[in-house]
Amino acid sequence: MPVVDVDPDELRTLASVEDKSNAELKDDLFALGLEFEGETDDGEFELEFAPDRLDRLSVEGIARSLRYQYGHDRGVYVPTTNDAEWVIEVDESVPEERPYVTGAIVRGLDLDESRLESLIQLQEKLHATMGRGRAKGAIGVHDLAMIKGRAANGDGDAPKTITYRGVEPDGDRFVPLDDDDERTPAEVLETHPTGDTYRDLVEGLDRYPAIYDDIGLFSFPPVINGKRTEVDEDSRDLLIEMTGTDQWTIDRMLTIVCYALDARGGRIEEVDVRYDDRELVRPDLSTETKRVAHDRIERTLGIDIPGKEVVDLLERAGLSAETTSDAGGDEPEIPAEDVELEAVPRRTQEPDTADGPTATADDELIYEVEIPPYRVDVLHPMDIVDDVGRAYGFNDLEPTYPDVSTVGGRHERSRLEDAARDALVGLGFEDLLNFYMTNEAALFDRMALSPDDDALGARDPPAITGPYSEEYTVVRTWALPSLMMVLENNTHRAYPQDLAEIGLVSAVDPDEPTGVAEHRSVAGVLARTDASYEDAKARLQALARAFGKTLETPPAEHPSFINGRTAEIVLDGESVGVLGEVHPKVLVEHDLELPVAAFEFRLDGLR
């Protein structure tokens, strides 16, 4: 999950709650869905949150949510924009692999070190999430004072123009950031550390993406900006440009950045983006509207609530709402001004006892909810219901028993899992719960494994169609890589580290009705100076004996383990997994400097 570093004092100032203590602030942030993960050495909060609320990737966005929660702001806010004085012209030479561009001007900023760091952090987090490591969208921030726009026909009153075009790899030269020498784009990829990091995004193209002003090349997206337009604390007017493979994505990324800079006092100015076949005015700050029924809100949250309070909660969530009443059949909708918000049917279909006329079940109350442009996560009416629940306070919801005639109990698989977990803890393992989502590099490359190998974990993983983060793009096919990453992140902890996990793994399987095969896997690692195959087998033998299983370990091969120190796990004659000593190249890949013995097998092998 994304983690954002936030200065609590700055957050209090932006949210207008200087009197809040750190403890109170943490509670309020948790109510928004932001989990406190710790503090940096400088005392900044480390906040983790679900990647759907990308507008909270900066202190400005988090403060905006708090202001709504505290009631300082209400309803949808859309910044005012000045008319365009700048044009981004898209030349036909732009590589077809990265054809889209967007942009905005922000004037009148007063940048200091903390504000500049916040902008850089927002840029990096958007790159990592919505931009998919700059592959889908990349952000360039430039000092506008250092850009010379081209005026049409020498007319000083005409809009100033910059051009998004293609450049030969060994074509025009420029000085990239953190450098002092002019280089061609190809030389940047070969000699510059940032160029080496992002070379895969453009390598192989006949022409590279580039942005020019009247002086020359000043941006090489998605790799690096030019030093000439570098932003510092003295910059007052900024050009924000974004390029990518999808217009909607870069437009939404731009909107989030513009809202953050608007919160810092910046004045947003439009930019005309001119393609051959169309012209766009950006940033796109248009709002969307979605409909949600009052009855759906009550049934989902399990509460009886007047319509007037729902409108209030929606406004406190940063949304705006108008009401209509669906009369049913061919009858026209009742206008908003004629709807009695205090009179709505309860979930029991009994009329509201509030004063005023009551609405019947046929006159269903409907909310027309306006969504601000920075809310890229609102895709469905249920997302609006979630906002209502958060504004109401999930801790204030009263639990109720479901209206069913049966009583729930543990599934057989759950009882088996709990028993296996207890046995592992009894054998000295520390029980873990890892994310089931990961990425292909962690599953395969870093484990010296290929999806085509005939080995445990070597299967095609279910992939996420539109991942928000490059770190979580697939569902894992085996659990051992997750444990290796935990060891990698805890090299500063004392040893021995004996870790185990029982969790979900899956793989693409066309024979399954869902197209995906799933099962629970048991994995364990022993990280210590004397870790060996015998240690792992001894623990596994004790676990098998606890479940009355006969364990056999015939020799086997697996790319992640050392040949000759690897065995197949066979329980009661059925092959269910593998154990052995982890290969040194896997240890080096995870920055581990001591031996690791490990095993993994199917949980149902203990049944």
Side-chain angles (χ1 to χ4, degrees):
M1 297 292 185
V3 176
V4 175
D5 297 339
V6 173
D7 183 341
D9 292 331
E10 189 174 27
L11 182 60
R12 275 187 279 261
T13 299
L14 289 171
S16 300
V17 287
E18 286 80 358
D19 58 336
K20 288 274 186 178
S21 67
N22 279 0
E24 292 173 317
L25 203 55
K26 292 173 187 176
D27 289 341
D28 295 336
L29 291 168
F30 185 78
L32 290 174
L34 296 161
E35 296 193 29
F36 177 75
E37 290 293 303
E39 293 186 8
T40 67
D41 294 338
D42 296 329
E44 293 186 333
F45 288 177
E46 295 178 322
L47 302 177
E48 179 184 88
F49 58 96
D52 54 345
R53 288 303 300 268
L54 300 179
D55 57 292
R56 294 174 178 166
L57 286 171
S58 66
V59 64
E60 297 88 359
I62 297 172
R64 183 191 311 115
S65 294
L66 284 175
R67 290 182 64 85
Y68 280 118
Q69 185 180 23
Y70 297 144
H72 299 332
D73 295 329
R74 302 181 67 84
V76 171
Y77 167 70
V78 178
T80 57
T81 57
N82 295 332
D83 293 338
E85 294 184 6
W86 286 78
V87 172
I88 301 178
E89 190 177 76
V90 182
D91 190 77
E92 61 181 9
S93 63
V94 167
E96 61 181 13
E97 293 83 358
R98 201 174 189 87
Y100 301 108
V101 65
T102 191
I105 303 294
V106 183
R107 298 187 185 272
L109 287 167
D110 183 13
L111 295 176
D112 58 18
E113 182 179 359
S114 64
R115 295 179 180 187
L116 193 54
E117 288 178 353
S118 178
L119 176 59
I120 293 171
Q121 178 177 231
L122 176 58
Q123 182 179 5
E124 292 175 347
K125 298 300 182 181
L126 283 173
H127 279 158
T129 53
M130 209 168 181
R132 298 189 196 173
R134 303 192 187 184
K136 194 172 184 179
I139 306 168
V141 183
H142 309 271
D143 188 334
L144 187 65
M146 304 305 298
I147 299 174
K148 183 179 180 181
R150 184 182 72 256
N153 301 322
D155 183 356
D157 294 330
K160 303 178 183 68
T161 300
I162 58 177
T163 305
Y164 180 44
R165 50 165 290 192
V167 61
E168 297 288 341
D170 293 319
D172 295 326
R173 309 176 74 86
F174 74 113
V175 180
L177 286 173
D178 301 321
D179 204 341
D180 295 318
D181 298 323
E182 284 192 341
R183 304 185 189 277
T184 66
E187 289 172 344
V188 170
L189 300 184
E190 290 294 332
T191 63
H192 199 287
T194 303
D196 182 63
T197 300
Y198 296 104
R199 65 186 303 167
D200 291 345
L201 300 180
V202 296
E203 199 170 37
L205 301 181
D206 294 333
R207 297 176 69 86
Y208 295 159
I211 301 179
Y212 286 74
D213 66 355
D214 203 34
I215 299 175
L217 192 159
F218 69 88
S219 180
F220 175 24
V223 180
I224 195 168
N225 293 338
K227 189 172 184 177
R228 167 163 61 97
T229 62
E230 183 177 6
V231 175
D232 58 30
E233 295 178 26
D234 295 325
S235 302
R236 293 295 174 262
D237 301 337
L238 305 182
L239 165 68
I240 316 293
E241 49 85 3
M242 302 189 188
T243 64
T245 60
D246 178 72
Q247 187 75 51
W248 185 92
T249 298
I250 58 177
D251 282 341
R252 299 287 78 75
M253 292 169 67
L254 177 64
T255 298
I256 292 171
V257 173
C258 285
Y259 265 86
L261 295 177
D262 175 79
R264 295 294 193 177
R267 301 188 305 276
I268 311 300
E269 181 180 299
E270 295 173 346
V271 168
D272 289 338
V273 180
R274 295 178 181 173
Y275 294 93
D276 283 343
D277 57 347
R278 66 193 187 281
E279 182 173 327
L280 306 176
V281 178
R282 292 295 183 262
D284 180 8
L285 300 181
S286 59
T287 60
E288 294 185 356
T289 301
K290 294 191 180 296
R291 294 164 60 96
V292 61
H294 182 90
D295 181 61
R296 183 171 196 171
I297 295 172
E298 289 194 328
R299 284 187 290 106
T300 303
L301 299 179
I303 57 176
D304 296 319
I305 183 171
K308 185 176 182 180
E309 186 172 345
V310 171
V311 172
D312 177 71
L313 293 174
L314 287 169
E315 290 181 350
R316 285 180 51 208
L319 311 174
S320 294
E322 292 186 357
T323 55
T324 63
S325 182
D326 186 357
D330 297 328
E331 296 295 324
E333 289 185 345
I334 301 174
E337 59 269 18
D338 295 334
V339 175
E340 176 54 62
L341 290 182
E342 293 292 349
V344 297
R346 293 188 181 278
R347 290 172 291 120
T348 58
Q349 298 304 318
E350 296 177 359
D352 198 325
T353 57
D355 295 335
T358 60
T360 67
D362 292 332
D363 296 335
E364 185 177 16
L365 186 60
I366 305 292
Y367 301 96
E368 297 273 359
V369 182
E370 185 181 13
I371 315 298
Y374 60 82
R375 288 294 302 275
V376 298
D377 60 301
V378 181
L379 307 176
H380 186 274
M382 192 58 69
D383 296 317
I384 298 172
V385 177
D386 179 75
D387 274 7
V388 173
R390 288 195 180 277
Y392 183 88
F394 285 131
N395 290 336
D396 295 330
L397 298 177
E398 296 182 3
T400 58
Y401 283 102
D403 188 18
V404 294
S405 58
T406 58
V407 177
R410 286 190 176 275
H411 190 276
E412 178 187 355
R413 184 191 66 196
S414 178
R415 292 197 296 270
L416 176 63
E417 184 175 330
D418 283 353
R421 182 172 285 109
D422 288 344
L424 288 167
V425 172
L427 290 170
F429 287 98
E430 184 174 351
D431 185 41
L432 299 182
L433 177 62
N434 283 305
F435 294 127
Y436 299 155
M437 291 182 61
T438 182
N439 57 77
E440 292 190 357
L443 285 180
F444 305 121
D445 298 343
R446 305 191 69 203
M447 297 298 294
L449 185 67
S450 168
D452 299 326
D453 290 336
D454 182 17
L456 179 75
R459 300 184 68 182
D460 290 332
I464 308 304
T465 302
Y468 276 113
S469 171
E470 60 182 352
E471 295 182 8
Y472 304 103
T473 58
V474 298
V475 182
R476 66 184 184 180
T477 56
W478 57 321
L480 186 56
S482 300
L483 295 182
M484 295 300 296
M485 291 177 68
V486 173
L487 291 176
E488 179 181 13
N489 292 331
N490 286 275
T491 54
H492 59 292
R493 302 291 184 182
Y495 291 96
Q497 294 181 24
D498 299 343
L499 312 176
E501 179 186 5
I502 302 176
L504 179 76
V505 299
S506 62
V508 174
D509 187 346
D511 295 331
E512 292 289 331
T514 61
V516 175
E518 299 178 346
H519 69 269
R520 296 276 168 171
S521 189
V522 181
V525 292
L526 303 170
R528 51 179 67 202
T529 56
D530 58 350
S532 66
Y533 167 86
E534 289 76 16
D535 293 325
K537 181 178 178 180
R539 303 286 184 97
L540 197 57
Q541 181 71 65
L543 182 63
R545 188 180 300 115
F547 284 83
K549 298 292 180 179
T550 300
L551 173 67
E552 299 174 77
T553 54
E557 292 185 0
H558 192 290
S560 302
F561 295 88
I562 300 174
N563 286 338
R565 305 294 291 170
T566 307
E568 185 179 0
I569 299 175
V570 180
L571 295 175
D572 284 355
E574 181 182 2
S575 177
V576 293
V578 65
L579 86 141
E581 296 177 13
V582 177
H583 199 285
K585 60 185 176 184
V586 176
L587 300 179
V588 170
E589 179 64 34
H590 291 84
D591 296 327
L592 299 176
E593 299 179 354
L594 74 175
V596 175
F599 60 80
E600 180 167 348
F601 64 94
R602 295 176 62 103
L603 173 65
D604 52 22
L606 296 175
R607 183 172 294 130

PDB file of all heavy atoms in Angstrom, residues 509-518:
ATOM      1  N   ASP A 509      -6.103 -20.928 -14.631  1.00  0.00           N
ATOM      2  CA  ASP A 509      -6.481 -22.303 -14.978  1.00  0.00           C
ATOM      3  C   ASP A 509      -7.765 -22.268 -15.801  1.00  0.00           C
ATOM      4  O   ASP A 509      -8.850 -22.059 -15.256  1.00  0.00           O
ATOM      5  CB  ASP A 509      -6.685 -23.142 -13.711  1.00  0.00           C
ATOM      6  CG  ASP A 509      -6.907 -24.617 -14.021  1.00  0.00           C
ATOM      7  OD1 ASP A 509      -7.162 -24.944 -15.198  1.00  0.00           O
ATOM      8  OD2 ASP A 509      -6.834 -25.440 -13.086  1.00  0.00           O
ATOM      9  N   PRO A 510      -7.672 -22.452 -17.127  1.00  0.00           N
ATOM     10  CA  PRO A 510      -8.877 -22.362 -17.969  1.00  0.00           C
ATOM     11  C   PRO A 510      -9.921 -23.425 -17.666  1.00  0.00           C
ATOM     12  O   PRO A 510     -11.088 -23.293 -18.074  1.00  0.00           O
ATOM     13  CB  PRO A 510      -8.321 -22.528 -19.393  1.00  0.00           C
ATOM     14  CG  PRO A 510      -6.886 -22.831 -19.289  1.00  0.00           C
ATOM     15  CD  PRO A 510      -6.458 -22.686 -17.871  1.00  0.00           C
ATOM     16  N   ASP A 511      -9.528 -24.486 -16.951  1.00  0.00           N
ATOM     17  CA  ASP A 511     -10.491 -25.544 -16.630  1.00  0.00           C
ATOM     18  C   ASP A 511     -11.402 -25.175 -15.465  1.00  0.00           C
ATOM     19  O   ASP A 511     -12.412 -25.848 -15.226  1.00  0.00           O
ATOM     20  CB  ASP A 511      -9.752 -26.846 -16.307  1.00  0.00           C
ATOM     21  CG  ASP A 511      -8.996 -27.389 -17.511  1.00  0.00           C
ATOM     22  OD1 ASP A 511      -9.443 -27.133 -18.648  1.00  0.00           O
ATOM     23  OD2 ASP A 511      -7.957 -28.054 -17.312  1.00  0.00           O
ATOM     24  N   GLU A 512     -11.027 -24.138 -14.703  1.00  0.00           N
ATOM     25  CA  GLU A 512     -11.860 -23.695 -13.589  1.00  0.00           C
ATOM     26  C   GLU A 512     -12.986 -22.787 -14.098  1.00  0.00           C
ATOM     27  O   GLU A 512     -12.792 -22.042 -15.064  1.00  0.00           O
ATOM     28  CB  GLU A 512     -11.024 -22.939 -12.563  1.00  0.00           C
ATOM     29  CG  GLU A 512     -10.026 -23.801 -11.819  1.00  0.00           C
ATOM     30  CD  GLU A 512     -10.703 -24.753 -10.846  1.00  0.00           C
ATOM     31  OE1 GLU A 512     -11.792 -24.407 -10.335  1.00  0.00           O
ATOM     32  OE2 GLU A 512     -10.157 -25.838 -10.608  1.00  0.00           O
ATOM     33  N   PRO A 513     -14.157 -22.823 -13.469  1.00  0.00           N
ATOM     34  CA  PRO A 513     -15.265 -21.944 -13.907  1.00  0.00           C
ATOM     35  C   PRO A 513     -14.896 -20.468 -13.887  1.00  0.00           C
ATOM     36  O   PRO A 513     -15.347 -19.687 -14.719  1.00  0.00           O
ATOM     37  CB  PRO A 513     -16.374 -22.255 -12.886  1.00  0.00           C
ATOM     38  CG  PRO A 513     -16.065 -23.620 -12.384  1.00  0.00           C
ATOM     39  CD  PRO A 513     -14.568 -23.736 -12.403  1.00  0.00           C
ATOM     40  N   THR A 514     -14.052 -20.077 -12.916  1.00  0.00           N
ATOM     41  CA  THR A 514     -13.632 -18.669 -12.825  1.00  0.00           C
ATOM     42  C   THR A 514     -12.385 -18.368 -13.641  1.00  0.00           C
ATOM     43  O   THR A 514     -11.978 -17.210 -13.749  1.00  0.00           O
ATOM     44  CB  THR A 514     -13.347 -18.304 -11.361  1.00  0.00           C
ATOM     45  OG1 THR A 514     -12.280 -19.134 -10.868  1.00  0.00           O
ATOM     46  CG2 THR A 514     -14.590 -18.495 -10.497  1.00  0.00           C
ATOM     47  N   GLY A 515     -11.759 -19.413 -14.202  1.00  0.00           N
ATOM     48  CA  GLY A 515     -10.514 -19.228 -14.917  1.00  0.00           C
ATOM     49  C   GLY A 515      -9.305 -19.156 -14.024  1.00  0.00           C
ATOM     50  O   GLY A 515      -8.185 -18.954 -14.497  1.00  0.00           O
ATOM     51  N   VAL A 516      -9.505 -19.329 -12.706  1.00  0.00           N
ATOM     52  CA  VAL A 516      -8.421 -19.230 -11.726  1.00  0.00           C
ATOM     53  C   VAL A 516      -8.549 -20.371 -10.717  1.00  0.00           C
ATOM     54  O   VAL A 516      -9.629 -20.604 -10.171  1.00  0.00           O
ATOM     55  CB  VAL A 516      -8.443 -17.883 -10.986  1.00  0.00           C
ATOM     56  CG1 VAL A 516      -7.389 -17.852  -9.885  1.00  0.00           C
ATOM     57  CG2 VAL A 516      -8.215 -16.729 -11.952  1.00  0.00           C
ATOM     58  N   ALA A 517      -7.453 -21.083 -10.481  1.00  0.00           N
ATOM     59  CA  ALA A 517      -7.413 -22.130  -9.456  1.00  0.00           C
ATOM     60  C   ALA A 517      -6.804 -21.552  -8.184  1.00  0.00           C
ATOM     61  O   ALA A 517      -5.779 -20.863  -8.247  1.00  0.00           O
ATOM     62  CB  ALA A 517      -6.595 -23.313  -9.943  1.00  0.00           C
ATOM     63  N   GLU A 518      -7.412 -21.848  -7.040  1.00  0.00           N
ATOM     64  CA  GLU A 518      -6.945 -21.311  -5.769  1.00  0.00           C
ATOM     65  C   GLU A 518      -6.767 -22.437  -4.759  1.00  0.00           C
ATOM     66  O   GLU A 518      -7.486 -23.437  -4.783  1.00  0.00           O
ATOM     67  CB  GLU A 518      -7.945 -20.296  -5.204  1.00  0.00           C
ATOM     68  CG  GLU A 518      -8.192 -19.088  -6.069  1.00  0.00           C
ATOM     69  CD  GLU A 518      -9.224 -18.153  -5.465  1.00  0.00           C
ATOM     70  OE1 GLU A 518      -9.929 -18.587  -4.516  1.00  0.00           O
ATOM     71  OE2 GLU A 518      -9.337 -17.009  -5.918  1.00  0.00           O
TER      72      GLU A 518
END
